[in-house]
Amino acid sequence: MLFALLFLCLLQYETDGSNDYNNFQPGSLNTTLQLIKDIKNIDIVFHIGDICYSSGYISQWDQFTSQIEPIASRVPYMIASGNHERDWPDSGSFYGYMDSGGECGVLAETMFYVPAENRAKFWYSTDYGMFRFCIADTEHDWREGTEQYKFIEHCLASVDRRKQPWLIFLAHRVLGYSSSFWYTYRGTFAEPMGKEDLQKLWQKYKVDIAIFGHVHNYERTCPIYQNTCTNNEKHFYKGILNGTIHVVAGGGGAGLSDFSSIVPLWSIYRDFDYGFVKLTAFDHSNLLFQYKKSRDGKIYDSFRISRGYRDILACTVDSCSSKTLTF
């Protein structure tokens, strides 16, 4: 049994280049065309925030939905909440910036269906084939003790790895690792407070891959925990990872983001170009990850994971609770 999934930050663009708001999404047409070309080999698409950069201009949503219709009419098109859908001062967003142009999440939350219990709180989980997806909302507080933190832990803890052996965490802003210029300049390599509370959940429940958008480029890390690579392999992982592989897949269409000149030891592959990623589960023990460029649809980075069910059950660093037996 095979399940293929795509992850991207897409946005929209006009074919003739006319009347495009902000002229900011030149790569999105190529990305869309590559998805349409390969649609027979795709089971579901995840668009992880920054849906169309409409900033309050409703026509942008009309253009975007028309652009993705050949995709969304064939396979499930799942979205996540990003800063350009949600953020606005005094609206309840975590950051309170003006990135949404006053939309405050209303359009994204009503135009697309996701199985969230409360659509104003855009976090949700979904099982598809051999995958469990835990989708966070980075525009609401995710830190320990919050409602969203409790949801994330429940989503990760409740998966039956006999049925869904591949556990994927998705969020818009980078809560894991990125060596983009802006994050590096601030000395964080991610959103401030991003991974401090969540990394222990990723480790404890053995999240295979965490995928983020927001930064408009592509980057893949080694399996990592607490800023340290837990496995030195780069392309073919066998058995226990001992950490989570983090991926930035934000190059779906918007103007690209520069990398820092600093290349951390955990950064395995970086690409300043437009592209998207594809996951293919061949069975319960074998997963293929591919990064494809939008200009030609060819693979430029990839890795495989091969493991048995016992590898998921085995303890790794901080993945099993401490227990004391008294006789």
Side-chain angles (χ1 to χ4, degrees), residues 29-42:
L29 281 180
N30 281 341
T31 304
T32 304
L33 291 173
Q34 291 299 337
L35 268 61
I36 295 171
K37 187 182 299 184
D38 195 37
I39 195 67
K40 292 183 179 179
N41 300 311
I42 298 170

Side-chain angles (χ1 to χ4, degrees), residues 312-324:
I312 304 176
L313 293 179
C315 290
T316 60
V317 178
D318 289 351
S319 70
C320 291
S321 300
S322 300
K323 296 180 180 178
T324 300

